[in-house]
Amino acid sequence: MQDARRWDDRYARGDGLPPLAGLPVAVKDNMCTTDFPTTCGSRILGRWMSPYDATVVARLREAGAIVIGKTNLDEFAMGSSTENSAFGPTRNPWDQGRVPGGSSGGSAAAVAASFVPLALGSDTGGSIRQPAGFCGIVGLKPTYGRVSRYGLVAFASSLDQIGPMAGTVADAALLLQVLAGRDPRDSTSADVPVPDYAKALNGTVRGLRIGLAREAFGEGLQPAVRTAVTQAAEVLKGQGAEVIEVAMPTIAYALPTYYLLATSEASSNLARYDGVQYGLRVPSTDLYGMYTKTRREGFGAEVKRRIMLGTYALSAGYYEGFFLKAQRVRTLVRRDFLQAFERVDLVLMPTSPTVPFRFGEKVDDPLQMYLADVYTIPVNLAGLPGISIPCGFADGLPVGLQLIGRSFEEETVLRAAHAYEQATEWHTRRPPLDGDGGGRGGTTQPRGRA
Amino acid sequence: MSIDRATVDHVARLARLDLSEEERERFTRQLAALLEYFATLQQLDTEGVEPTSHVVNITNVTRDDTPRPGLPRGAVLAGAPEHEDGFFKVPPVIETETPP
């Protein structure tokens, strides 16, 4: 509140204000902050306090934002429902019996419920876009390397990327502007100029070629989701975009590829949780016992499952057949996109194959849970920018539209998403929360803009 | 792809995870199902395809070798379960690191 007053005073004096002056921003709890514990939704970190701010958090503060709190997530960002948090699940504001998606479910729900206008998420296989779709908000995964990962607790380092979550495309663009750019502390952050994203929002898709990924409209896609996404493509066509079909034969193999690579990288990254440097330690007379007991107590079921899978894929005798094979298929998935981008400027597909599912529905069936990310995962493997924006409702539950662009062409992604948003009113709907003055009928009140 | 109890136990040792009896049973079943599904990758011909470990083509990013302050030692150690005289403290290492 003091920070907010300080900005108010400065504004009253007529002084210039930084872009996010006084705006409350929620931060996913796998990004380091010096003023809140960083838990990653895991018992193994406990209430660990980071000695430094993540680069994105430092940039928020420099831009005048008020980091108002940390949001719930699947433990170490591993999950598609936010059910895997040691702190319990987050509910979907649209239907509290359903999941908000994950792993950035806390950030998505906080924006959807209008607790905050802006939030940070991280996306390794869909963890920004899928919860954004499930909660009816905007979520952008930037190109790999667009945003610094310094201070983001590593899950799968070749796939992880931080991005904005917001109520509107313009707000997401505003937040990306603050986050984007080279950081000497992250050697994988790209030395590519950062354009003016707000300028890209010119309200038109005229002249843009958009490719419908044929393979993403097949088996496993809920009919109501198909209808909403197909209609969105028609809207874009009506606005002057050229819409054609593109073939992406390898994306069906992206899911197994991702789960081999991401778990392998995770098994290595999570080796650091050994009871020595951070958080939990379960004492033992010897070192091996301390490691194994600490990790037994500290990690939840999904994290253990993924560490097991990744350790297996990297172990002697299986490396060639699994890990290396997956890296080769990753090349083919990327090639599918590069070939599509010879003919189109954007690829369009659903964000998720279904509307938000119920608690407990998939949590004991890992493969079914993993399928929730079937359309978002290929984008991480290829390292491309992708956005999810609201494109309709099925049985009162939000449906997300995904638009994917070329490397470092977030401008085109944002431009098309913004133009679509101008032509529709989905983004103005708000969930009927208990105690909300608008009541259950008030689902079309405009959302407060940042 | 077959995965049995012994493989699960071996992998758990490599990963420094102490699994309960129930977890050993469950992971054997679930990992077998997942690996069977993952084996669909074998359908794809990847002969001559280069592996992608990373999408950004960068090698050897260097910076000037100029001294700068590191993180304050006290703040770093404050998050550790045990520390002494400015060091992380661990149980005896030499005699017992070998898994049982």
Side-chain angles (χ1 to χ4, degrees), chain A residues 77-165:
Chain A
M78 297 180 190
S80 311
S81 68
T82 316
E83 289 168 291
N84 297 332
S85 168
F87 298 97
T90 296
R91 296 175 186 281
N92 190 315
W94 290 94
D95 178 344
Q96 296 187 30
R98 290 174 191 268
V99 303
S103 65
S104 312
S107 286
V111 172
S114 303
F115 295 166
V116 284
L118 301 170
L120 296 188
S122 68
D123 191 317
T124 306
S127 283
I128 288 174
R129 290 158 290 154
Q130 187 256 17
F134 274 15
C135 291
I137 65 156
V138 176
L140 172 73
K141 183 201 90 72
T143 309
Y144 184 85
R146 180 75 292 183
V147 175
S148 167
R149 293 182 295 112
Y150 179 75
L152 168 68
V153 176
F155 160 13
S157 307
S158 81
L159 301 160
D160 297 341
Q161 187 63 197
I162 293 170
M165 304 179 81

Coordinates of all heavy atoms in Angstrom, one line a residue, chain A residues 77-165:
Chain A
A77 N 6.4 -27.0 -11.1 CA 5.7 -26.7 -12.4 C 5.4 -28.0 -13.1 O 5.2 -28.0 -14.4 CB 6.6 -25.8 -13.2
M78 N 5.4 -29.1 -12.4 CA 5.1 -30.4 -13.1 C 3.6 -30.8 -12.9 O 3.3 -31.4 -11.9 CB 6.0 -31.5 -12.5 CG 7.5 -31.2 -12.8 SD 8.5 -32.5 -12.1 CE 10.1 -31.8 -12.3
G79 N 2.8 -30.5 -13.9 CA 1.4 -30.9 -13.8 C 0.6 -30.0 -14.7 O 1.1 -28.9 -15.2
S80 N -0.7 -30.4 -14.9 CA -1.6 -29.7 -15.8 C -2.8 -29.3 -15.1 O -3.9 -29.0 -15.7 CB -1.9 -30.5 -17.0 OG -0.7 -31.1 -17.6
S81 N -2.8 -29.3 -13.8 CA -4.1 -29.0 -13.0 C -3.9 -28.3 -11.7 O -4.9 -27.9 -11.1 CB -4.7 -30.4 -12.7 OG -3.9 -31.1 -11.8
T82 N -2.7 -28.0 -11.3 CA -2.4 -27.4 -10.0 C -2.8 -28.3 -8.8 O -2.9 -27.8 -7.7 CB -2.9 -26.0 -9.9 OG1 -2.6 -25.3 -11.1 CG2 -2.2 -25.1 -8.8
E83 N -3.1 -29.6 -9.1 CA -3.5 -30.5 -8.0 C -2.2 -31.0 -7.3 O -2.3 -31.6 -6.3 CB -4.3 -31.7 -8.6 CG -5.7 -31.3 -9.0 CD -6.3 -32.5 -9.8 OE1 -5.9 -32.7 -10.9 OE2 -7.2 -33.1 -9.3
N84 N -1.0 -30.9 -8.0 CA 0.2 -31.5 -7.5 C 0.9 -30.5 -6.5 O 2.1 -30.6 -6.4 CB 1.2 -31.8 -8.6 CG 0.6 -32.9 -9.5 OD1 -0.2 -33.7 -9.1 ND2 1.0 -32.9 -10.7
S85 N 0.2 -29.5 -6.0 CA 0.9 -28.6 -5.0 C 0.8 -29.1 -3.6 O -0.2 -29.6 -3.2 CB 0.2 -27.2 -5.1 OG 0.7 -26.4 -4.0
A86 N 2.0 -29.0 -2.9 CA 2.0 -29.4 -1.5 C 1.0 -28.5 -0.6 O 0.7 -28.9 0.5 CB 3.4 -29.3 -0.9
F87 N 0.6 -27.4 -1.2 CA -0.3 -26.5 -0.4 C -1.7 -26.7 -0.8 O -2.6 -25.9 -0.4 CB 0.1 -25.0 -0.7 CG 1.5 -24.7 -0.3 CD1 2.6 -24.7 -1.2 CD2 1.8 -24.4 1.0 CE1 3.9 -24.5 -0.7 CE2 3.0 -24.1 1.5 CZ 4.1 -24.1 0.6
G88 N -2.0 -27.8 -1.6 CA -3.4 -28.0 -2.0 C -3.7 -27.4 -3.3 O -2.9 -26.6 -3.8
P89 N -4.9 -27.7 -3.9 CA -5.2 -27.3 -5.2 C -5.7 -25.9 -5.3 O -6.1 -25.3 -4.3 CB -6.3 -28.2 -5.7 CG -7.0 -28.6 -4.4 CD -5.9 -28.6 -3.3
T90 N -5.7 -25.3 -6.5 CA -6.3 -24.0 -6.7 C -7.6 -24.3 -7.5 O -7.6 -25.3 -8.3 CB -5.4 -23.1 -7.6 OG1 -4.2 -22.8 -6.8 CG2 -6.1 -21.8 -8.0
R91 N -8.7 -23.6 -7.3 CA -9.9 -23.8 -8.0 C -10.1 -23.0 -9.2 O -9.6 -21.8 -9.2 CB -11.1 -23.6 -7.0 CG -11.1 -24.6 -5.9 CD -12.1 -24.3 -4.8 NE -12.0 -25.2 -3.7 CZ -12.4 -26.5 -3.7 NH1 -13.0 -27.0 -4.7 NH2 -12.1 -27.2 -2.6
N92 N -10.9 -23.5 -10.1 CA -11.2 -22.7 -11.3 C -12.3 -21.7 -11.0 O -13.4 -22.1 -10.6 CB -11.6 -23.6 -12.5 CG -11.7 -22.8 -13.8 OD1 -12.2 -21.7 -13.9 ND2 -11.1 -23.4 -14.8
P93 N -12.1 -20.4 -11.2 CA -13.1 -19.4 -10.8 C -14.4 -19.6 -11.6 O -15.5 -19.2 -11.1 CB -12.5 -18.1 -11.2 CG -11.0 -18.3 -11.2 CD -10.8 -19.7 -11.7
W94 N -14.3 -20.3 -12.7 CA -15.6 -20.5 -13.5 C -16.4 -21.6 -13.0 O -17.6 -21.7 -13.3 CB -15.2 -20.7 -15.0 CG -14.7 -19.5 -15.6 CD1 -13.4 -19.1 -15.8 CD2 -15.5 -18.5 -16.2 NE1 -13.3 -17.9 -16.4 CE2 -14.6 -17.5 -16.7 CE3 -16.8 -18.2 -16.4 CZ2 -15.0 -16.3 -17.3 CZ3 -17.3 -17.1 -17.0 CH2 -16.3 -16.1 -17.5
D95 N -15.8 -22.6 -12.3 CA -16.5 -23.7 -11.7 C -15.5 -24.3 -10.7 O -14.5 -24.9 -11.0 CB -16.8 -24.8 -12.8 CG -17.5 -26.0 -12.2 OD1 -17.5 -26.2 -11.0 OD2 -18.1 -26.8 -13.0
Q96 N -15.9 -24.1 -9.4 CA -15.0 -24.4 -8.4 C -14.8 -25.9 -8.1 O -14.0 -26.3 -7.3 CB -15.3 -23.6 -7.1 CG -15.2 -22.1 -7.4 CD -15.3 -21.3 -6.1 OE1 -15.1 -21.7 -5.0 NE2 -15.8 -20.1 -6.3
G97 N -15.5 -26.7 -8.9 CA -15.3 -28.1 -8.8 C -14.3 -28.6 -9.9 O -14.1 -29.8 -10.0
R98 N -13.8 -27.7 -10.6 CA -12.9 -28.0 -11.7 C -11.5 -27.4 -11.5 O -11.4 -26.4 -10.8 CB -13.5 -27.6 -13.0 CG -14.7 -28.4 -13.4 CD -15.3 -27.9 -14.7 NE -16.6 -28.6 -14.9 CZ -16.8 -29.7 -15.6 NH1 -15.7 -30.2 -16.2 NH2 -17.9 -30.3 -15.7
V99 N -10.5 -27.9 -12.2 CA -9.2 -27.5 -12.1 C -9.0 -26.2 -12.9 O -9.7 -26.0 -13.9 CB -8.1 -28.5 -12.6 CG1 -8.3 -29.8 -11.8 CG2 -8.3 -28.8 -14.1
P100 N -8.0 -25.3 -12.5 CA -7.7 -24.1 -13.3 C -6.7 -24.4 -14.4 O -6.3 -23.5 -15.1 CB -7.1 -23.2 -12.2 CG -6.4 -24.1 -11.3 CD -7.2 -25.4 -11.2
G101 N -6.3 -25.7 -14.5 CA -5.2 -26.0 -15.4 C -3.9 -25.8 -14.7 O -3.9 -25.5 -13.5
G102 N -2.8 -26.0 -15.4 CA -1.5 -25.9 -14.7 C -0.4 -26.0 -15.7 O -0.6 -26.2 -16.8
S103 N 0.8 -25.7 -15.2 CA 1.1 -25.6 -13.8 C 0.9 -24.2 -13.2 O 0.8 -24.0 -12.0 CB 2.5 -26.0 -13.5 OG 3.4 -25.2 -14.2
S104 N 0.7 -23.1 -14.1 CA 0.5 -21.8 -13.6 C -0.9 -21.5 -13.2 O -1.5 -20.5 -13.5 CB 1.0 -20.7 -14.6 OG 2.3 -21.0 -15.1
G105 N -1.6 -22.5 -12.5 CA -3.0 -22.4 -12.2 C -3.3 -21.3 -11.3 O -4.4 -20.6 -11.4
G106 N -2.4 -21.0 -10.3 CA -2.6 -19.9 -9.4 C -2.6 -18.5 -10.0 O -3.5 -17.7 -9.8
S107 N -1.7 -18.3 -10.9 CA -1.6 -17.0 -11.6 C -2.8 -16.9 -12.5 O -3.4 -15.8 -12.6 CB -0.3 -17.0 -12.5 OG 0.8 -16.8 -11.7
A108 N -3.2 -17.9 -13.2 CA -4.4 -17.9 -14.1 C -5.7 -17.6 -13.4 O -6.5 -16.7 -13.7 CB -4.5 -19.2 -14.9
A109 N -5.9 -18.3 -12.2 CA -7.1 -18.1 -11.4 C -7.1 -16.7 -10.8 O -8.2 -16.0 -10.8 CB -7.2 -19.1 -10.3
A110 N -5.9 -16.2 -10.4 CA -5.9 -14.8 -9.8 C -6.3 -13.7 -10.8 O -7.0 -12.8 -10.5 CB -4.5 -14.6 -9.3
V111 N -5.8 -13.9 -12.1 CA -6.2 -12.9 -13.1 C -7.7 -13.1 -13.4 O -8.4 -12.1 -13.5 CB -5.3 -13.0 -14.3 CG1 -5.8 -12.2 -15.5 CG2 -3.9 -12.7 -14.0
A112 N -8.1 -14.3 -13.6 CA -9.5 -14.5 -14.0 C -10.5 -14.0 -12.9 O -11.6 -13.5 -13.2 CB -9.8 -16.0 -14.2
A113 N -10.1 -14.1 -11.7 CA -11.0 -13.7 -10.6 C -10.8 -12.2 -10.3 O -11.4 -11.7 -9.3 CB -10.7 -14.5 -9.3
S114 N -10.0 -11.5 -11.1 CA -9.7 -10.1 -11.0 C -9.1 -9.7 -9.6 O -9.2 -8.6 -9.1 CB -11.0 -9.3 -11.1 OG -11.6 -9.5 -12.3
F115 N -8.3 -10.7 -9.1 CA -7.5 -10.3 -7.9 C -6.4 -9.4 -8.3 O -5.9 -8.5 -7.6 CB -6.9 -11.6 -7.3 CG -7.8 -12.6 -6.7 CD1 -7.4 -13.9 -6.4 CD2 -9.2 -12.2 -6.4 CE1 -8.3 -14.8 -5.8 CE2 -10.0 -13.1 -5.9 CZ -9.6 -14.4 -5.6
V116 N -5.8 -9.7 -9.5 CA -4.7 -8.9 -10.0 C -5.0 -8.7 -11.5 O -5.6 -9.5 -12.2 CB -3.3 -9.6 -9.9 CG1 -2.8 -9.5 -8.5 CG2 -3.4 -11.0 -10.3
P117 N -4.5 -7.6 -12.1 CA -4.6 -7.4 -13.5 C -3.6 -8.1 -14.3 O -3.8 -8.5 -15.5 CB -4.4 -5.9 -13.7 CG -3.6 -5.4 -12.6 CD -3.9 -6.3 -11.4
L118 N -2.4 -8.4 -13.7 CA -1.3 -9.0 -14.4 C -0.6 -10.1 -13.5 O -0.6 -9.9 -12.2 CB -0.2 -8.0 -14.7 CG -0.6 -6.8 -15.5 CD1 0.5 -5.8 -15.5 CD2 -0.9 -7.2 -17.0
A119 N -0.1 -11.1 -14.1 CA 0.6 -12.1 -13.4 C 1.7 -12.7 -14.2 O 1.6 -12.7 -15.5 CB -0.3 -13.2 -12.9
L120 N 2.7 -13.3 -13.6 CA 3.8 -14.0 -14.3 C 3.5 -15.5 -14.2 O 3.1 -16.1 -13.1 CB 5.1 -13.8 -13.7 CG 5.7 -12.4 -13.8 CD1 7.2 -12.4 -13.3 CD2 5.6 -11.8 -15.2
G121 N 3.7 -16.2 -15.3 CA 3.7 -17.7 -15.3 C 4.9 -18.2 -16.0 O 5.7 -17.4 -16.5
S122 N 5.1 -19.5 -15.9 CA 6.2 -20.1 -16.6 C 5.7 -21.3 -17.4 O 4.7 -21.9 -17.0 CB 7.4 -20.6 -15.7 OG 6.9 -21.7 -14.9
D123 N 6.3 -21.6 -18.6 CA 5.7 -22.5 -19.5 C 6.8 -23.4 -20.0 O 7.7 -23.0 -20.8 CB 5.1 -21.7 -20.7 CG 4.2 -22.5 -21.6 OD1 4.6 -23.6 -22.0 OD2 3.1 -22.0 -22.0
T124 N 6.7 -24.7 -19.7 CA 7.7 -25.7 -20.1 C 7.1 -26.6 -21.2 O 7.7 -27.0 -22.1 CB 8.2 -26.5 -18.9 OG1 8.7 -25.6 -17.9 CG2 9.3 -27.5 -19.3
G125 N 5.8 -26.9 -21.0 CA 5.0 -27.7 -22.0 C 3.6 -27.2 -22.2 O 2.8 -27.9 -22.7
G126 N 3.3 -26.0 -21.7 CA 2.0 -25.4 -21.8 C 1.5 -24.7 -20.6 O 0.4 -24.3 -20.5
S127 N 2.4 -24.6 -19.6 CA 2.0 -24.2 -18.2 C 1.5 -22.7 -18.1 O 1.0 -22.4 -17.1 CB 3.1 -24.4 -17.2 OG 3.2 -25.8 -16.9
I128 N 1.7 -21.9 -19.1 CA 1.1 -20.6 -19.2 C -0.2 -20.7 -20.0 O -1.3 -20.3 -19.6 CB 2.0 -19.5 -19.8 CG1 3.1 -19.2 -18.9 CG2 1.2 -18.3 -20.2 CD1 4.2 -18.2 -19.5
R129 N -0.1 -21.3 -21.2 CA -1.2 -21.2 -22.1 C -2.4 -22.1 -21.7 O -3.6 -21.7 -21.8 CB -0.7 -21.7 -23.5 CG 0.2 -20.6 -24.2 CD 1.1 -21.3 -25.2 NE 2.1 -22.2 -24.6 CZ 2.6 -23.2 -25.2 NH1 2.3 -23.5 -26.5 NH2 3.5 -24.0 -24.6
Q130 N -2.1 -23.3 -21.2 CA -3.2 -24.2 -20.8 C -4.1 -23.7 -19.7 O -5.3 -23.6 -19.8 CB -2.7 -25.6 -20.6 CG -3.7 -26.7 -20.3 CD -3.8 -27.0 -18.9 OE1 -3.4 -26.3 -18.0 NE2 -4.4 -28.2 -18.6
P131 N -3.5 -23.2 -18.6 CA -4.3 -22.6 -17.5 C -5.0 -21.3 -18.0 O -6.1 -21.0 -17.5 CB -3.3 -22.3 -16.4 CG -2.0 -22.5 -16.9 CD -2.1 -23.4 -18.1
A132 N -4.3 -20.5 -18.9 CA -4.9 -19.3 -19.4 C -6.2 -19.7 -20.1 O -7.3 -19.1 -20.0 CB -4.0 -18.5 -20.3
G133 N -6.1 -20.7 -20.9 CA -7.3 -21.2 -21.7 C -8.4 -21.7 -20.8 O -9.5 -21.4 -20.9
F134 N -8.0 -22.5 -19.7 CA -9.0 -23.0 -18.8 C -9.6 -21.9 -18.0 O -10.7 -22.1 -17.5 CB -8.3 -24.0 -17.9 CG -8.2 -25.4 -18.4 CD1 -8.4 -25.7 -19.7 CD2 -7.9 -26.5 -17.5 CE1 -8.3 -27.0 -20.2 CE2 -7.8 -27.8 -18.0 CZ -8.0 -28.1 -19.4
C135 N -9.0 -20.8 -17.7 CA -9.5 -19.7 -16.9 C -10.0 -18.6 -17.7 O -10.5 -17.6 -17.1 CB -8.5 -19.3 -15.9 SG -8.1 -20.5 -14.6
G136 N -10.0 -18.7 -19.0 CA -10.6 -17.6 -19.9 C -9.8 -16.3 -19.9 O -10.4 -15.2 -19.9
I137 N -8.5 -16.4 -19.8 CA -7.6 -15.2 -19.8 C -6.6 -15.3 -20.9 O -6.6 -16.3 -21.7 CB -6.9 -14.9 -18.5 CG1 -5.9 -16.0 -18.2 CG2 -8.0 -14.8 -17.3 CD1 -4.8 -15.6 -17.2
V138 N -5.7 -14.3 -21.0 CA -4.7 -14.3 -22.0 C -3.4 -14.8 -21.4 O -3.0 -14.3 -20.3 CB -4.5 -12.9 -22.6 CG1 -3.3 -12.8 -23.6 CG2 -5.8 -12.4 -23.2
G139 N -2.7 -15.7 -22.1 CA -1.4 -16.2 -21.6 C -0.4 -16.3 -22.7 O -0.8 -17.0 -23.7
L140 N 0.7 -15.7 -22.7 CA 1.7 -15.8 -23.7 C 3.0 -16.5 -23.3 O 3.6 -16.1 -22.3 CB 2.1 -14.4 -24.2 CG 3.2 -14.3 -25.2 CD1 2.8 -14.8 -26.6 CD2 3.7 -12.8 -25.3
K141 N 3.4 -17.5 -24.0 CA 4.7 -18.1 -23.9 C 5.6 -17.5 -24.9 O 5.4 -17.7 -26.1 CB 4.7 -19.6 -24.1 CG 6.1 -20.2 -23.8 CD 6.4 -21.5 -24.5 CE 6.9 -21.5 -25.9 NZ 8.3 -21.1 -26.0
P142 N 6.6 -16.7 -24.5 CA 7.5 -16.1 -25.5 C 8.4 -17.1 -26.2 O 8.5 -18.2 -25.7 CB 8.3 -15.0 -24.7 CG 7.5 -14.9 -23.4 CD 6.9 -16.2 -23.2
T143 N 9.1 -16.7 -27.2 CA 10.1 -17.5 -27.8 C 11.2 -17.9 -26.8 O 11.5 -17.1 -25.9 CB 10.9 -16.6 -28.9 OG1 9.9 -16.0 -29.8 CG2 11.9 -17.4 -29.7
Y144 N 11.7 -19.1 -26.9 CA 12.8 -19.5 -25.9 C 13.9 -18.5 -26.1 O 14.4 -18.3 -27.2 CB 13.2 -20.9 -26.2 CG 14.3 -21.4 -25.3 CD1 13.9 -21.9 -24.1 CD2 15.6 -21.2 -25.5 CE1 14.8 -22.3 -23.1 CE2 16.6 -21.6 -24.6 CZ 16.2 -22.2 -23.4 OH 17.1 -22.6 -22.5
G145 N 14.3 -17.9 -25.0 CA 15.4 -16.9 -25.0 C 15.0 -15.5 -25.0 O 15.8 -14.6 -24.9
R146 N 13.6 -15.2 -25.2 CA 13.1 -13.9 -25.2 C 13.2 -13.2 -23.8 O 13.4 -12.0 -23.7 CB 11.7 -13.9 -25.7 CG 10.9 -12.6 -25.9 CD 11.4 -11.7 -27.0 NE 12.7 -11.1 -26.9 CZ 13.3 -10.3 -27.7 NH1 12.6 -9.9 -28.8 NH2 14.5 -9.8 -27.5
V147 N 12.9 -14.0 -22.8 CA 12.8 -13.5 -21.4 C 13.9 -14.3 -20.6 O 14.0 -15.5 -20.7 CB 11.4 -13.7 -20.8 CG1 11.4 -13.3 -19.4 CG2 10.4 -12.9 -21.6
S148 N 14.6 -13.6 -19.7 CA 15.6 -14.2 -18.9 C 15.0 -15.3 -17.9 O 13.9 -15.1 -17.3 CB 16.3 -13.1 -18.0 OG 17.1 -13.7 -17.0
R149 N 15.7 -16.4 -17.8 CA 15.3 -17.4 -16.8 C 16.1 -17.3 -15.5 O 15.9 -18.2 -14.7 CB 15.5 -18.8 -17.4 CG 14.6 -19.0 -18.6 CD 14.8 -20.5 -19.2 NE 16.1 -20.6 -19.7 CZ 17.0 -21.5 -19.2 NH1 16.8 -22.2 -18.1 NH2 18.2 -21.6 -19.8
Y150 N 16.9 -16.3 -15.3 CA 17.7 -16.2 -14.1 C 16.8 -16.0 -12.9 O 15.9 -15.1 -12.9 CB 18.6 -15.0 -14.2 CG 19.5 -14.8 -13.0 CD1 20.6 -15.6 -12.7 CD2 19.2 -13.7 -12.1 CE1 21.3 -15.4 -11.5 CE2 19.9 -13.5 -10.9 CZ 21.0 -14.4 -10.6 OH 21.7 -14.2 -9.5
G151 N 16.8 -16.9 -12.0 CA 16.0 -16.9 -10.8 C 14.7 -17.6 -11.0 O 13.8 -17.6 -10.1
L152 N 14.5 -18.2 -12.2 CA 13.4 -19.2 -12.4 C 13.9 -20.5 -11.9 O 14.9 -21.0 -12.5 CB 12.9 -19.2 -13.8 CG 11.9 -20.3 -14.2 CD1 10.6 -20.1 -13.6 CD2 11.8 -20.4 -15.7
V153 N 13.2 -21.2 -11.0 CA 13.7 -22.5 -10.5 C 13.6 -23.5 -11.7 O 12.5 -23.6 -12.2 CB 12.9 -22.9 -9.3 CG1 13.4 -24.3 -8.9 CG2 13.1 -21.9 -8.2
A154 N 14.7 -24.1 -12.1 CA 14.8 -24.9 -13.3 C 14.0 -26.2 -13.2 O 14.1 -26.9 -12.2 CB 16.2 -25.2 -13.6
F155 N 13.2 -26.4 -14.2 CA 12.5 -27.7 -14.4 C 13.1 -28.4 -15.6 O 13.9 -29.4 -15.4 CB 11.0 -27.4 -14.6 CG 10.1 -28.5 -15.2 CD1 10.6 -29.8 -15.4 CD2 8.8 -28.2 -15.6 CE1 9.8 -30.8 -16.0 CE2 8.0 -29.2 -16.2 CZ 8.5 -30.4 -16.4
A156 N 12.9 -27.9 -16.8 CA 13.6 -28.5 -18.0 C 14.2 -27.3 -18.7 O 13.5 -26.6 -19.5 CB 12.6 -29.2 -18.8
S157 N 15.5 -27.1 -18.6 CA 16.1 -25.9 -18.9 C 16.1 -25.6 -20.4 O 16.2 -24.4 -20.8 CB 17.6 -25.9 -18.5 OG 17.6 -26.2 -17.1
S158 N 15.9 -26.6 -21.3 CA 15.9 -26.3 -22.7 C 14.5 -25.9 -23.2 O 14.3 -25.6 -24.4 CB 16.4 -27.5 -23.5 OG 15.5 -28.4 -23.7
L159 N 13.5 -25.9 -22.3 CA 12.1 -25.7 -22.6 C 11.5 -24.6 -21.8 O 10.5 -23.9 -22.3 CB 11.3 -27.0 -22.4 CG 11.8 -28.2 -23.2 CD1 11.2 -29.5 -22.5 CD2 11.3 -28.2 -24.6
D160 N 12.0 -24.4 -20.6 CA 11.3 -23.4 -19.7 C 11.3 -22.0 -20.3 O 12.4 -21.5 -20.8 CB 12.1 -23.3 -18.3 CG 12.1 -24.6 -17.5 OD1 11.3 -25.5 -17.8 OD2 13.0 -24.7 -16.7
Q161 N 10.3 -21.3 -20.1 CA 10.2 -19.8 -20.5 C 9.2 -19.1 -19.7 O 8.1 -19.6 -19.4 CB 9.9 -19.7 -22.0 CG 10.0 -18.3 -22.6 CD 11.4 -17.7 -22.5 OE1 11.6 -16.5 -22.7 NE2 12.5 -18.4 -22.3
I162 N 9.5 -17.9 -19.2 CA 8.6 -17.1 -18.4 C 7.8 -16.2 -19.4 O 8.3 -15.8 -20.4 CB 9.4 -16.2 -17.4 CG1 10.1 -17.0 -16.4 CG2 8.5 -15.2 -16.8 CD1 11.1 -16.3 -15.5
G163 N 6.5 -16.0 -19.0 CA 5.7 -15.1 -19.8 C 4.6 -14.4 -19.1 O 4.3 -14.8 -17.9
P164 N 3.9 -13.5 -19.7 CA 2.8 -12.7 -19.1 C 1.5 -13.4 -19.1 O 1.2 -14.1 -20.1 CB 2.8 -11.4 -20.0 CG 3.2 -11.8 -21.3 CD 4.2 -13.0 -21.1
M165 N 0.7 -13.2 -18.1 CA -0.7 -13.6 -18.0 C -1.5 -12.4 -17.7 O -1.2 -11.7 -16.7 CB -0.9 -14.8 -17.0 CG 0.1 -15.9 -17.3 SD 0.0 -17.3 -16.2 CE -1.4 -18.2 -16.8

